[in-house]
Amino acid sequence: MGEITNVMEYQAIAKQKLPKMAYDYYNSGAEDEWTLKENREAFSRILFRPRILIDISKIDMTTTVLGFKISMPIMIAPTAMQKMAHPDGEYATARAASAAGTIMTLSSWATSSVEEVASTGPGIRFFQLYVYKNRKVVEQLVRRAERAGFKAIALTVDTPRLGRREADIKNRFVLPPFLTLKNFEGLDLGKMDQANDSGLASYVAGQIDRTLSWKDVKWLQSITTLPILVKGVITAEDARLAVHSGAAGIIVSNHGARQLDYVPATISALEEVVNATQGRIPVYLDGGVRRGTDVFKALALGAAGVFVGRPVVFALAAEGEAGVRNVLRMLRDEFELTMALSGCTSLAEINRSHVLTEGDRLRPKPRL
Ligand code: GLV
């Protein structure tokens, strides 16, 4: 393997190493995959307005997320079934996140349980939640996450049904028989049946609660004291509802472009959401973050931090824990360099004037 110099290079290695069904599952987006491409391309249309001749000999990238201090505004997004990528799966990701001093979000559909991930050692961890039809199952799971020391719930709100991922349909995707959705083992919900379709889409159709609505955000608050991040907001209307629902924060997410195709890139939707929240709750972003420059652009447009998904899974497939550590290190180094070359020494100094969006270019106005 030649030297890896950016996080995207792990993808080709993962493609070589993984069984087609597993690689396709991680890689694919919904339908035409327009949003999948757009999540990346929209970042490339945002340009910088760097400031010069500023002493950048000391750069502070630390920040606080829901009261927890972390080393940088780059966190790990929930991605399901990580043991399909590497035998160490979520353990490796948890250890790499802790070593980097940042937050890991564990998927409900992890192949390691909340208790197993907690047993890897100290670390700040969030738990991504899917709401099952059987609310007893949800209550139990949330309680277990609390007991295992998880610090927040990231409630996925964009998946009342699974998006149509055509590679998974063609492959008749199912979780390999030697793995289980570990959080649901013992509840008879840890396995996925073969279907004449994507096995995951059928699992979701059978188990996930399609009636989920804003009142359930309140319900969730009645069963846990953990702060709730609403993950999957991409409009101002829903951002306002999230604030009113008592959410502790919003994750602007289109589920890695795996749900509704032809929604905008998350980086394009970010500013609308940020403006709608009027600073009342923090707004985070995932989707297409592959470079330190992307992290900077998100922060300049008002995000309080970003989450990274696929690069973690691909690096895990390529090199296990070392790969995930390397992803976090490369993104950190790139982000630090972007701050330096933009003339910012702390996150508080990164602001709207440091970027030029397409919208700005269409509506030129002097900014002095
Ligand atoms: C899991 O959350 C998936 O989108 O496949």
Side-chain angles (χ1 to χ4, degrees):
M1 193 191 305
E3 187 186 354
I4 301 280
T5 51
N6 66 64
V7 306
M8 288 165 286
E9 290 175 351
Y10 278 119
Q11 181 159 355
I13 302 168
K15 186 171 185 182
Q16 271 181 359
K17 279 197 147 180
L18 290 175
K20 179 172 162 48
M21 184 187 284
Y23 175 79
D24 284 353
Y25 169 70
Y26 296 132
N27 183 52
S28 54
E31 299 185 357
D32 296 337
E33 300 188 333
W34 183 86
T35 299
L36 187 66
K37 247 201 309 119
E38 178 67 3
N39 268 356
R40 285 294 307 132
E41 285 179 2
F43 274 113
S44 73
R45 297 194 296 266
I46 300 171
L47 306 179
F48 287 123
R49 299 183 70 250
R51 300 299 308 275
I52 52 163
L53 293 177
I54 292 167
D55 175 357
I56 51 85
S57 55
K58 286 194 193 69
I59 290 186
D60 180 7
M61 284 182 284
T62 60
T63 189
T64 298
V65 171
L66 303 180
F68 299 97
K69 181 135 191 218
I70 55 174
S71 64
M72 58 180 176
I74 304 166
M75 299 167 275
I76 295 189
T79 50
M81 308 174 214
Q82 293 183 2
K83 283 192 181 174
M84 265 189 340
H86 189 277
D88 297 341
E90 293 84 3
Y91 296 90
T93 306
R95 291 194 183 107
S98 297
T102 193
I103 291 165
M104 171 200 185
T105 316
L106 183 73
S107 168
S108 275
W109 295 337
T111 39
S112 315
S113 66
V114 285
E115 293 83 6
E116 287 172 331
V117 168
S119 77
T120 60
I124 306 160
R125 300 184 184 111
F126 294 170
F127 183 69
Q128 176 273 332
L129 183 69
Y130 279 119
V131 177
Y132 280 55
K133 289 177 183 166
N134 183 343
R135 295 299 174 92
K136 288 272 169 295
V137 166
V138 181
E139 284 184 44
Q140 253 188 48
L141 188 53
V142 168
R143 200 128 309 132
R144 282 170 55 200
E146 282 174 356
R147 257 189 255 124
F150 284 71
K151 302 295 187 211
I153 302 288
L155 173 68
T156 295
V157 293
D158 57 17
T159 312
R161 295 175 58 184
L162 201 71
R164 194 175 159 81
R165 303 143 188 195
E166 293 183 356
D168 291 350
I169 297 170
K170 288 190 207 299
N171 293 335
R172 302 282 184 262
F173 174 79
V174 276
L175 187 63
F178 57 93
L179 294 174
T180 49
L181 303 178
K182 261 295 174 84
N183 288 313
F184 300 96
E185 208 179 41
L187 293 164
D188 239 16
L189 295 168
K191 290 284 178 191
M192 211 175 279
D193 295 329
Q194 274 280 355
N196 221 1
D197 187 352
S198 152
L200 183 60
S202 302
Y203 180 88
V204 169
Q207 303 305 333
I208 299 302
D209 190 350
R210 295 187 185 188
T211 73
L212 198 72
S213 68
W214 286 105
K215 70 174 175 3
D216 296 305
V217 180
K218 293 268 183 230
W219 169 77
L220 194 54
Q221 288 166 56
S222 77
I223 66 160
T224 182
T225 54
L226 291 180
I228 296 162
L229 296 173
V230 178
K231 175 176 180 285
V233 170
I234 49 170
T235 63
E237 294 90 319
D238 284 336
R240 283 190 283 270
L241 290 170
V243 170
H244 289 130
S245 75
I250 286 171
I251 305 177
V252 175
S253 173
N254 51 33
H255 205 125
R258 292 157 77 77
Q259 286 298 106
L260 181 62
D261 200 15
Y262 296 97
V263 294
T266 49
I267 193 67
S268 307
L270 174 64
E271 213 171 11
E272 149 174 356
V273 171
V274 167
N275 290 339
T277 57
Q278 299 183 314
R280 288 163 69 184
I281 54 176
V283 177
Y284 304 95
L285 169 139
D286 71 19
V289 175
R290 302 289 181 270
R291 285 283 189 189
T293 50
D294 299 336
V295 181
F296 187 102
K297 289 170 183 177
L299 267 59
L301 293 171
V306 302
F307 291 85
V308 185
R310 285 189 185 84
V312 168
V313 177
F314 292 142
L316 195 57
E319 294 183 329
E321 182 184 333
V324 183
R325 282 182 187 239
N326 202 29
V327 159
L328 294 172
R329 186 189 55 75
M330 285 188 288
L331 289 175
R332 180 191 169 86
D333 289 352
E334 288 177 5
F335 177 56
E336 184 183 38
L337 182 61
T338 308
M339 285 180 70
L341 298 181
S342 300
C344 297
T345 63
S346 71
L347 303 192
E349 288 173 15
I350 301 174
N351 64 50
R352 187 62 178 81
S353 75
H354 288 107
V355 291
L356 197 62
T357 64
E358 253 186 326
D360 299 338
R361 294 202 290 278
L362 291 171
R363 283 177 268 103
K365 53 177 181 292
R367 257 196 290 172
L368 301 172

